[in-house]
Amino acid sequence: MKKALKTIMLALVLTSPAYAGQIYGSLKEDGRAVANAGFEVVCREGSFRGTTDGYGAYSINVGRGKCTFRLNYRNQQPSVDVFSSDSALRYDFDVVNNNGTLGLVRR
């Protein structure tokens, strides 16, 4: 019985998801939603891709720890560091234009 229980527990640990938590929020530029824009979150565990909805909102499960949020927008890829934990974290960003170079600033 103990061996079977250990085997089941090991199987549960090995098949649990690699991601830790959820990152969610919204993206805006000049007060308007950045709709249907592709983004990528790169963490130690891998790369996670998504697309904002029609209101500029996004939600994605990612790896634990420090990650890089990269937006694919207007032929540029502005990025910013984010952190993920076991609980969901909100990151709302404004896309800013600095002399033709796009950047992300947390609201």
Side-chain angles (χ1 to χ4, degrees):
M1 181 69 173
K2 285 186 179 182
K3 185 175 180 179
L5 184 57
K6 286 181 183 179
T7 304
I8 291 171
M9 293 300 289
L10 181 62
L12 288 173
V13 168
L14 293 177
T15 59
S16 65
Y19 48 82
Q22 181 184 61
I23 292 176
Y24 70 99
S26 64
L27 292 155
K28 292 186 177 186
E29 181 181 31
D30 295 327
R32 295 185 192 98
V34 177
N36 308 310
F39 66 89
E40 178 180 26
V41 181
V42 180
C43 304
R44 183 180 57 214
E45 292 88 353
S47 177
F48 307 87
R49 296 175 189 266
T51 305
T52 61
D53 68 12
Y55 300 100
Y58 69 92
S59 176
I60 190 167
N61 292 320
V62 299
R64 176 179 292 151
K66 183 178 178 181
C67 302
T68 300
F69 182 97
R70 183 175 299 125
L71 178 65
N72 298 309
Y73 187 61
R74 295 190 181 179
N75 297 319
Q76 294 189 41
Q77 294 185 326
S79 64
V80 65
D81 288 339
V82 295
F83 294 88
S84 174
S85 67
D86 291 332
S87 59
L89 295 172
R90 183 176 193 131
Y91 288 96
D92 294 318
F93 297 110
D94 285 326
V95 178
V96 294
N97 188 336
N98 295 318
N99 298 321
T101 302
L102 297 180
L104 295 173
V105 176
R106 189 168 181 191
R107 267 185 265 129

